[in-house]
Amino acid sequence: MESYRFGDLGRVYPIARGSSPLIVAILAMVFAGETTDPQSLAAVFVISLGIMSLSLTRGLDRVGDARAVVLALATGTFAAVYTIVDGLGARHAGSASAYMIWVGLLDAAAFLPVVQFRRRHALWPSSAKRWTAGAIAGVTGFIAYWLVVWALTIAPMASVSALRATSIGFAVVFGAVF
C-alpha cells in the first residue's frame, strides 16, 4: 500500500503483478526444484515484461516514481513468495481444497479477532449493512483463489503466476477510467 503514496494504480500495479511471475520462476527453481522449458520461460518473460510495460505509458515523470517502482518490486516479491508457499503447501497437502480450507480457517482465526478489536464499534453495524455484497465478494474471491491454488498443484508455478497476472488488464482499465 505504501507504493501508492508515490505512484498511482496505473504505475504501481503493473510492476508489482508483472514482476511476480519472473520472481516465481526463479524461486520455483530454487525451492521447488521446478525446471521450466525454454519456451515456457520465454512466455513468462514476455508476459511479465508486457505487463510491466503498462506502467510506462507516461514515462518516469515524477520524483516519487523511483520509490514507487522499488516498493512495487517489493510487492511483486511478496506476491511471488506467497505463490510459492501456496503451491508447495497445496502440493504437500495433496489437495488444493484441503489446503484452502485450512488456510481459510487459520486466516479467519487470526484475522477476525484483530478486526474485532480494532473496529469493534463499527464492524458489526457496517457488516450488517453490506453483508450480501461482502458474502458474494468473499465466496467469489475464495473460489478464484482456489482455482489458482489448484492450478499450482498441476502446472509449473511460473506459468500459473504469469497467466494469473494477465488479469492486470482489468486493473489498468479501471485505473485509467477512475
Side-chain angles (χ1 to χ4, degrees):
M1 294 309 296
E2 186 70 13
S3 58
Y4 294 114
R5 286 184 56 210
F6 305 105
D8 63 21
L9 176 72
R11 165 105 47 225
V12 170
Y13 197 64
I15 294 170
R17 294 311 301 177
S19 64
S20 188
L22 292 174
I23 299 166
V24 167
I26 294 165
L27 295 179
M29 284 185 240
V30 173
F31 293 105
E34 282 192 356
T35 55
T36 305
D37 63 88
Q39 218 172 353
S40 296
L41 195 55
V44 168
F45 187 75
V46 168
I47 290 169
S48 290
L49 287 182
I51 291 168
M52 287 190 290
S53 74
L54 296 173
S55 69
L56 300 175
T57 57
R58 291 186 316 256
L60 295 175
D61 56 357
R62 294 192 318 256
V63 174
D65 283 346
R67 286 180 285 189
V69 169
V70 169
L71 290 168
L73 290 171
T75 301
T77 301
F78 281 107
V81 168
Y82 74 67
T83 299
I84 297 296
V85 168
D86 286 342
L88 290 175
R91 289 175 185 184
H92 287 297
S95 163
S97 297
Y99 177 79
M100 286 297 294
I101 288 168
W102 276 107
V103 167
L105 290 173
L106 293 172
D107 280 351
F111 188 64
L112 190 56
V114 172
V115 172
Q116 176 63 37
F117 176 75
R118 294 197 63 203
R119 307 281 184 175
R120 62 187 159 276
H121 301 294
L123 176 63
W124 298 115
S126 175
S127 297
K129 292 177 191 172
R130 297 181 182 95
W131 76 270
T132 303
I136 291 168
V139 169
T140 56
F142 185 85
I143 291 169
Y145 202 69
W146 176 85
L147 287 169
V148 170
V149 171
W150 170 74
L152 290 168
T153 66
I154 62 169
M157 289 186 251
S159 297
V160 173
S161 181
L163 181 60
R164 180 176 181 224
T166 60
S167 67
I168 182 66
F170 297 109
V172 169
V173 169
F174 184 82
V177 172
F178 299 104

